[in-house]
Amino acid sequence: MSAKTRHGTHSPFVYNLVDKVIYNFKDNSDYNNLENLRESLLKDESVITITDLGAGSQVNNKKQKKIKSLAKNALKPKKLAQLLYRLAKEFKPNNLIELGTCLGLTTAYFSVAVPNAKITTMEGCPQTAKSAQQNWEKLNLSNINVEIGDFDDNLPKVLAKEENIDFVFIDGNHRKQATLNYFDWCLPKVHDKTVLIFDDIYWSVGMKEAWEEIKNHPDVTVTIDLFWIGLVFFKTDQAKQNFKIKF
């Protein structure tokens, strides 16, 4: 089902989510310090060594890169980062897992949105993770733990420590099989209120195929395709429906 606006949706849950959260473009004072951090990163001349374990590693691996260049190419756009903040604030997860820390700006948005949540973020590159930690310290954020290394090693370990998972943002290693692996590993821990968010669902043919498989999985009841990201829900009181919403 495609819906260009909230009025095209026939699910009260999705209608309210679109109306209250996705299309809520009001200013929020919580954004100010986070966007100030973005501006400072876009001017930061420091150089770090990139270790990239995901898709694109042949291009970036062991390359020297300025923080400002990494910020320009890898940070989530303001509109999307603020949507992720609103989604986290709406669903109030007790635990939040992020695959792909980068410089930690999106992680910081999550931390400010849900200061009482336990946030675990994963990053393959040690120097990028170090920069992210410095950024969180500047913002006095204390509910974030970063796991450095390969997602294939770290995600199963992190999931094993949780009885269930509330909110997962998957933004790293944009390959079809890797994406499906992350989804499959999360499945045993999901519950009625779990939200999985997949980034860059149209990044490649493989990512499009992975998104289609996830949408069609029998445990998935509702998906919302926002083009940039895909939201996945397991709500047992919902008929199975896939929505496309213009964002």
Side-chain angles (χ1 to χ4, degrees), residues 130-193:
K130 184 179 177 183
S131 296
Q133 286 176 302
Q134 292 166 348
N135 292 329
W136 303 327
E137 285 167 13
K138 288 174 193 168
L139 295 168
N140 296 312
L141 303 176
S142 58
N143 63 332
I144 304 167
N145 176 53
V146 61
E147 297 281 350
I148 300 166
D150 195 309
F151 296 163
D152 287 1
D153 298 326
N154 283 337
L155 181 57
K157 289 178 192 172
V158 169
L159 291 171
K161 294 175 189 171
E162 302 295 342
E163 186 178 342
N164 52 45
I165 53 173
D166 298 332
F167 192 109
V168 183
F169 178 49
I170 296 170
D171 174 25
N173 195 350
H174 296 327
R175 295 186 177 101
K176 177 182 178 178
Q177 194 53 54
T179 300
L180 291 173
N181 287 345
Y182 306 149
F183 173 72
D184 288 339
W185 294 342
C186 286
L187 274 180
K189 302 282 183 163
V190 303
H191 56 88
D192 188 59
K193 293 185 169 64

Side-chain angles (χ1 to χ4, degrees), residues 78-90:
K78 175 178 171 180
K79 182 180 176 184
L80 188 54
Q82 292 175 0
L83 170 62
L84 292 166
Y85 162 99
R86 295 194 300 274
L87 288 164
K89 200 165 184 69
E90 173 69 12

Side-chain angles (χ1 to χ4, degrees), residues 28-35 37 81 84-86 88-90 93 96 104-117 119 135-136 138-144:
N28 183 325
S29 59
D30 276 358
Y31 301 158
N32 296 341
N33 288 340
L34 297 160
E35 286 306 312
L37 172 62
L84 292 166
Y85 162 99
R86 295 194 300 274
K89 200 165 184 69
E90 173 69 12
L96 189 154
L105 181 62
T106 302
T107 329
Y109 262 104
F110 285 141
S111 177
V112 173
V114 283
N116 296 320
I119 297 176
N135 292 329
W136 303 327
K138 288 174 193 168
L139 295 168
N140 296 312
L141 303 176
S142 58
N143 63 332
I144 304 167

Side-chain angles (χ1 to χ4, degrees), residues 8-235:
T9 70
H10 300 290
S11 159
F13 165 71
V14 175
Y15 179 95
N16 288 331
L17 188 63
V18 174
D19 196 43
K20 283 173 51 189
V21 180
I22 294 171
Y23 286 171
N24 178 4
F25 300 118
K26 295 174 191 166
D27 285 336
N28 183 325
S29 59
D30 276 358
Y31 301 158
N32 296 341
N33 288 340
L34 297 160
E35 286 306 312
N36 288 341
L37 172 62
R38 181 196 300 275
E39 290 307 309
S40 70
L41 292 172
L42 287 167
K43 296 172 187 167
D44 191 333
E45 297 280 348
S46 339
V47 174
I48 63 172
T49 302
I50 300 296
T51 307
D52 190 342
L53 303 176
S57 56
Q58 286 76 22
V59 179
N60 292 327
N61 218 16
K62 298 294 182 188
K63 291 287 175 71
Q64 300 284 305
K65 195 173 259 194
K66 287 186 176 180
I67 293 280
K68 70 176 190 180
S69 172
L70 189 57
K72 181 183 175 186
N73 294 312
L75 291 184
K76 289 283 162 282
K78 175 178 171 180
K79 182 180 176 184
L80 188 54
Q82 292 175 0
L83 170 62
L84 292 166
Y85 162 99
R86 295 194 300 274
L87 288 164
K89 200 165 184 69
E90 173 69 12
F91 293 110
K92 301 177 179 61
N94 291 315
N95 59 54
L96 189 154
I97 297 169
E98 176 186 49
L99 275 70
T101 312
C102 192
L103 296 169
L105 181 62
T106 302
T107 329
Y109 262 104
F110 285 141
S111 177
V112 173
V114 283
N116 296 320
K118 179 176 81 171
I119 297 176
T120 304
T121 184
M122 298 179 212
E123 174 54 49
C125 174
Q127 287 208 21
T128 311
K130 184 179 177 183
S131 296
Q133 286 176 302
Q134 292 166 348
N135 292 329
W136 303 327
E137 285 167 13
K138 288 174 193 168
L139 295 168
N140 296 312
L141 303 176
S142 58
N143 63 332
I144 304 167
N145 176 53
V146 61
E147 297 281 350
I148 300 166
D150 195 309
F151 296 163
D152 287 1
D153 298 326
N154 283 337
L155 181 57
K157 289 178 192 172
V158 169
L159 291 171
K161 294 175 189 171
E162 302 295 342
E163 186 178 342
N164 52 45
I165 53 173
D166 298 332
F167 192 109
V168 183
F169 178 49
I170 296 170
D171 174 25
N173 195 350
H174 296 327
R175 295 186 177 101
K176 177 182 178 178
Q177 194 53 54
T179 300
L180 291 173
N181 287 345
Y182 306 149
F183 173 72
D184 288 339
W185 294 342
C186 286
L187 274 180
K189 302 282 183 163
V190 303
H191 56 88
D192 188 59
K193 293 185 169 64
T194 299
V195 188
L196 302 186
I197 303 178
F198 291 87
D199 190 59
D200 288 332
I201 53 175
Y202 290 96
W203 190 78
S204 64
V205 171
M207 284 300 292
K208 290 181 199 172
E209 290 172 352
W211 176 239
E212 283 303 312
E213 285 196 34
I214 290 164
K215 279 164 50 177
N216 292 322
H217 191 280
D219 290 354
V220 171
T221 55
V222 175
T223 66
I224 303 177
D225 177 340
L226 297 169
F227 184 76
W228 308 107
I229 59 174
L231 313 183
V232 178
F233 300 94
F234 303 85
K235 296 175 68 62

